[in-house]
Amino acid sequence: MAWDDSRTMTSELSISVAEAASYLRDRYGLGVVEASVIGSNEDINVLAALADGRRVLLKVSHPGVSRGSLEAQNAALRWLAASPDVRLEVPLPCESTAGHDVEPWTDAARLARVLTFVEGEMPSPAVRSPAGHSRRLGSAAGRVALALRAFEHEGLPEGGPWDLRSARRVLDDAAQCVGEDGDTTADALAATLAAAEARMGPVVGELRVQPIHGDLTADNVVFDPAGDARGVIDFGDVGRGWLAAEIAVLACSLLQHDGDPIAEALHAAAAFDQECRLDDADIVALWPLVVSRAVVLVASAARMLAEDPTNEYAVARAPLERRMLARALSLSFDEAEILARAALGRLATPPVAVSPMVAGLDGADEADFSVTSVQHQADGWMQEGHLEVTLLRWGNSAGTTVTRYAEHRLTSRAIVETLPRSFAIGIDAVVREGALVRAPADGIVVSGGGARSASGDVRASIGVVLDGGATAWARGIEPLRAAGERVRARDVIARVTAGRPSDSDGHAAAAPQAVVGIGWCLAAELEPPGLVAPRAESLWRAACPDPSALVGREARHDPEQAPGDLIARRAAVFAAVQERYYDAPPQIERGWRHHLVDTAGRAYLDMINNVAILGHAEPRLTHAVAQQMGLLNTNSRFHYEAVVEFSEALAARAPDGLDAVLLVNSGSEAVDLAIRIARAATGRSDILALTEAYHGWTVGADAISTSIGDNPGALATRPEWVHLLDAPNTYRGRHRGADAHLYLTDALARLDALDADGVSLAAMVSEPIFGNGGGILLPDGYLRGLWTAVRERGGVCVSDEVQVSYGRLGEHFWGFEQQGVVPDVIAVAKAMGNGYPLGAVITTRQIAEAFAAEGSFFSSAGGSPVSCVVGSTVLRVLDDDDLQENARVVGAVLAHGLRALAARYPAVGAVHGMGLYLGVEVVNGGPDQPDPEAAAAICVDLLEEGVIVQPTGDHKNVLKIKPPLTIDVEAVRRFLAALDGVLERRQSRAAM
């Protein structure tokens, strides 16, 4: 007999698998050949492989579980196994040698059972559900619920801790164990539960009570190889409860996943409804029960961990359960019910013909508030009320104005919310004060809530439930009819009131107008918001269709581009060798400072854009480029002031003596030109370089690029004139820690060997900090000693500053300053142009004149008036905004936070770099176990959290952290919180 002799334990009992095997032999006559412990919240589970090839599950119950309850579970399993409509396997109780299916455990304080094991594939704790997975789960849950409807047993428990009818008691019992920090304090949970109870209040007496599984989540369904549900397991929570709670439990469990978990939860509910129909009260209660379940999970986890901090299962589940609660609360109860009714197909049909609620909009100008709209100038869109104020200003100049239905808008919430409300499910219209709002057809008036407009006044909403059940809503009005009144088509129901918003010059608008929102809701009498988060969009379109008819306009029929369409078009014409970030990337069409905005109106923290050092859409740079482009743009052979001003400014930043500037278009060109210059100055060809480095894509720059992450065959394909030194990688290389100084010893020995072979070096080209390796600092004194030796041999020293210069290090403007050295040649690009193609080589007059002996040199666009204005403006803004100091201060906060995460999560092996030039090693056990798969997955997870990060390094396992220098502490804290959550959830899933 062989097995893992680990132990599982709660605060009251510890069981080894050896004890379990003996128990199975003595009580059940079963020969065990292997056994292992399976995690559980409270029970003890041991999976045993038997000598006859079968597997069984030994379940030792919590001391509070009665024999009657276990007998009821066993009866329920037999009932389901006999039901022809369930079409799912369930575990069945095995009888002991004494003929019993419930036996006392060895200490007599607990009871034990042995169940057959349902073979199949358990769903992996993935970050997102596979296609169709939620529907299959919902269908399985519905079949089980329907079969249990007729089941009865006197031992069925009622009112237990997982019965959502007991949610208040569970929370009260756990309140003293709940933490006092964050969004899940005892008071916050109590308020959340109270809101859910209030929402359910009107229908709670109508909710059906029956036997239910009680914990039918994705963890308790096994699948066959084709991905279909094969069986349902873990009936430890079978009891009487609300039928609606059965699907609420499943829906809640799906909220832990990435992707579109709201839609997945609702798809599961729809599949459940196909098998076991939900009535109106169930639909009203569905989301409040999802919220209640999440509250119970969070509170129960706090209690379990307070009682037993060693409960690894509870530790692993806690962050996922907090995420379920956060996701559940991301929808209002009205929104959730609207979506639920849409998912279940319980929607009214809008009438074919309606009259306009507001007249005079048929010829109105159509406003564009999409992400690419010119209405969003600079950072104006970030101001609260931007849309309404801009719309009113637009209306003042154009008369009546309407917005577009189903538009993804750029709003002020984009940069402060992970998934901002950006999808318009109604139409906003600018109309004059005093305009009348009329009923679109016969119906009953309902009143909604009030809202404060951008002009400061509070206006209400009103709806008319038409005879067919559809509700037409108008917002931003003064109601003239009371709720419950019967109205006929074209009856006046409200009028428009307006504040006195100021125009762009601060003067009161001449003709007061107001923004009125118009929309449909086909889900009961619920009032939808004007903007919703861009998720479950097909459900929102179904529940709140185009209201153009309500404003007297034809519906728009613009074909909407599917997310994959642009990717397919790119693949058809763009050479595949040009990689892109992410398999399913967001479509980025706007940027601002350290934010990138996709076409859905969602902003992402840009943590990798070392090109846009000033941030995106810098207005001073935009203005300078536009102004110069309107004057002149040509090549540097012409005589103009901009090239002189920029070259002077650039040379002034370089060390004394490096005063000759050559301008090109990119970092690759700069490195390539630096190699040519070094060869011309020395009359030699051979170049010394480092492994693990990337220098560019031109023939010369590529020849000395050795990163196998970018080119797997790099080390085997270098030309004969390239000579390599081992990368002085102090984290993963040959020499680590106190032995890092030996890299210089090795390098000097290599130079001696080259001397012996008769090699005369033209130059050594290196980055002063390993960029491609994730910002690893070179050993102290390394470049000083090595460059001295190279110069003694007649070579020149080239510093590749393409990634690491321009103040990114915080403490230093140039990367070589960190090593306390001065190069002979500087190659620089990227940050120079803030995304505009611009590069340079800076060297001594003597070296530059030696290059001139080979003939003239110029770059058609390098040194053009526009390029030079860009370069001068970048330097000026760097100084004016003190961005190098910002890199030092904010970079220190970022590095401190990352190192704190490294101390908590073994997956973070080290944090490299300085300033805003950092790298995070992702490992699976230490420096010699890089984990590129985890690094890539973390980047995808972070994208879900609104953060853009990508891996780098030879092993593609280092997260490169190189944001624009505009990043502030608030954004850094948001990034750290996102990374913390991603790492915590990954660690939790791995432990389950």
Side-chain angles (χ1 to χ4, degrees), residues 1 17-35 46-50 55-59 94-97 105-106 112-115:
M1 180 168 61
V17 292
E19 292 170 316
S22 296
Y23 182 86
L24 289 170
R25 182 189 63 242
D26 296 342
R27 292 277 183 143
Y28 287 83
L30 299 175
V32 178
V33 296
E34 188 176 3
V46 177
L47 177 61
L50 305 181
R55 292 200 290 176
V56 296
L57 189 68
L58 169 65
K59 295 182 69 69
C94 301
E95 289 189 351
S96 67
T97 53
W105 180 244
T106 55
R113 292 177 298 154
V114 174
L115 303 176

Side-chain angles (χ1 to χ4, degrees), residues 792-823:
E792 287 173 349
R793 289 164 169 78
V796 298
C797 299
V798 179
S799 186
D800 179 351
E801 298 280 330
V802 170
Q803 295 197 68
V804 76
S805 58
Y806 267 54
R808 178 163 289 282
L809 298 183
E811 297 287 348
H812 311 290
F813 185 85
W814 299 107
F816 55 76
E817 293 173 320
Q818 192 275 333
Q819 282 279 304
V821 294
V822 174

Side-chain angles (χ1 to χ4, degrees), residues 168-372:
R168 173 63 56 180
R169 175 176 56 79
V170 172
L171 178 57
D172 290 344
D173 290 346
Q176 62 182 358
C177 303
V178 176
E180 294 301 321
D181 297 323
D183 300 326
T184 54
T185 65
D187 288 345
L189 293 178
T192 296
L193 185 57
E197 291 169 338
R199 179 71 175 196
M200 291 173 55
V203 300
V204 70
E206 304 172 36
L207 295 178
R208 291 169 287 175
V209 176
Q210 68 161 70
I212 60 174
H213 180 286
D215 192 27
L216 212 162
T217 68
D219 297 331
N220 290 328
V221 179
V222 296
F223 294 83
D224 62 23
D228 293 325
R230 175 174 179 171
V232 176
I233 61 174
D234 195 354
F235 283 75
D237 296 309
V238 163
R240 293 181 59 80
W242 284 317
L243 170 65
E246 190 80 295
I247 182 56
V249 165
L250 173 58
C252 183
S253 74
L254 293 171
L255 297 184
Q256 66 184 285
H257 295 157
D258 290 337
D260 193 346
I262 301 293
E264 293 298 325
L266 294 168
H267 291 329
F272 183 98
D273 181 65
Q274 292 294 311
E275 303 287 351
C276 181
R277 186 171 175 82
L278 298 170
D279 61 24
D280 198 67
D282 297 327
I283 298 171
V284 172
L286 175 60
W287 209 257
L289 287 172
V290 169
V291 171
S292 298
R293 168 71 171 186
V295 168
V296 166
L297 289 173
V298 171
S300 297
R303 177 185 61 78
M304 291 177 195
L305 290 172
E307 295 174 355
D308 178 14
T310 66
N311 188 325
E312 295 178 359
Y313 185 82
V315 170
R317 291 295 309 168
L320 304 177
E321 289 161 352
R322 292 195 299 271
R323 191 180 214 202
M324 293 178 206
L325 178 59
R327 289 282 178 73
L329 295 177
S330 67
L331 290 175
S332 72
F333 289 127
D334 273 3
E335 290 174 306
E337 187 177 334
I338 290 170
L339 289 175
R341 291 182 181 278
L344 272 58
R346 311 293 173 80
L347 297 176
T349 302
V352 175
V354 293
S355 58
M357 297 184 77
V358 180
L361 297 176
D362 52 329
D365 187 27
E366 190 172 74
D368 176 8
F369 285 112
S370 66
V371 170
T372 57

Side-chain angles (χ1 to χ4, degrees), residues 28 64 71 197 355 607 662-663 700 712 745 794 881:
Y28 287 83
E71 290 173 345
E197 291 169 338
S355 58
M607 298 302 295
L662 299 92
L663 297 175
T745 303
D881 292 359

Side-chain angles (χ1 to χ4, degrees), residues 390-619:
T390 304
L391 192 55
L392 286 168
R393 188 177 299 130
W394 197 329
N396 286 335
S397 63
T400 56
T401 306
V402 296
T403 62
R404 301 185 294 196
Y405 167 75
E407 177 181 64
H408 289 97
R409 298 180 184 173
L410 181 59
T411 75
S412 60
R413 308 306 297 169
I415 64 170
V416 296
E417 295 177 352
T418 300
L419 199 64
R421 293 174 178 270
S422 62
F423 186 60
I425 55 172
I427 289 175
D428 294 317
V430 175
V431 296
R432 61 178 173 77
E433 183 175 35
L436 299 177
V437 180
R438 300 177 182 273
D442 296 354
I444 304 295
V445 170
V446 290
S447 293
R452 187 172 298 277
S453 71
S455 56
D457 57 320
V458 176
R459 300 193 295 273
S461 56
I462 193 169
V464 179
V465 182
L466 308 186
D467 289 346
T471 304
W473 284 97
R475 297 185 188 80
I477 47 80
E478 177 189 356
L480 299 177
R481 295 295 190 107
E485 284 193 58
R486 177 82 182 176
V487 292
R488 303 292 300 273
R490 298 184 179 83
D491 283 353
V492 174
I493 59 173
R495 66 167 165 253
V496 176
T497 59
R500 301 279 173 170
S502 297
D503 62 22
S504 58
D505 298 321
H507 301 102
Q513 300 189 90
V515 177
V516 176
I518 303 292
W520 283 115
C521 182
L522 308 185
E525 301 173 7
L526 302 169
E527 180 182 1
L531 293 173
V532 296
R535 60 186 172 199
E537 288 186 16
S538 61
L539 297 180
W540 279 119
R541 287 175 182 269
C544 303
D546 190 340
S548 291
L550 296 177
V551 294
R553 298 171 67 86
E554 293 291 327
R556 289 170 53 89
H557 295 291
D558 295 343
E560 183 165 303
Q561 177 175 279
D565 290 350
L566 189 62
I567 295 175
R569 287 169 56 195
R570 172 179 170 135
V573 297
F574 204 58
V577 71
Q578 301 168 96
E579 66 180 356
R580 70 164 191 264
Y581 294 145
Y582 307 108
D583 291 333
Q587 185 179 336
I588 303 296
E589 297 290 356
R590 180 180 284 271
W592 176 252
R593 291 174 69 80
H594 42 279
H595 304 281
L596 292 168
V597 188
D598 70 9
T599 49
R602 183 182 188 186
Y604 299 81
L605 274 180
D606 180 0
M607 298 302 295
I608 61 170
N609 226 309
N610 58 339
V611 175
I613 199 165
L614 305 182
H616 304 282
E618 163 53 51

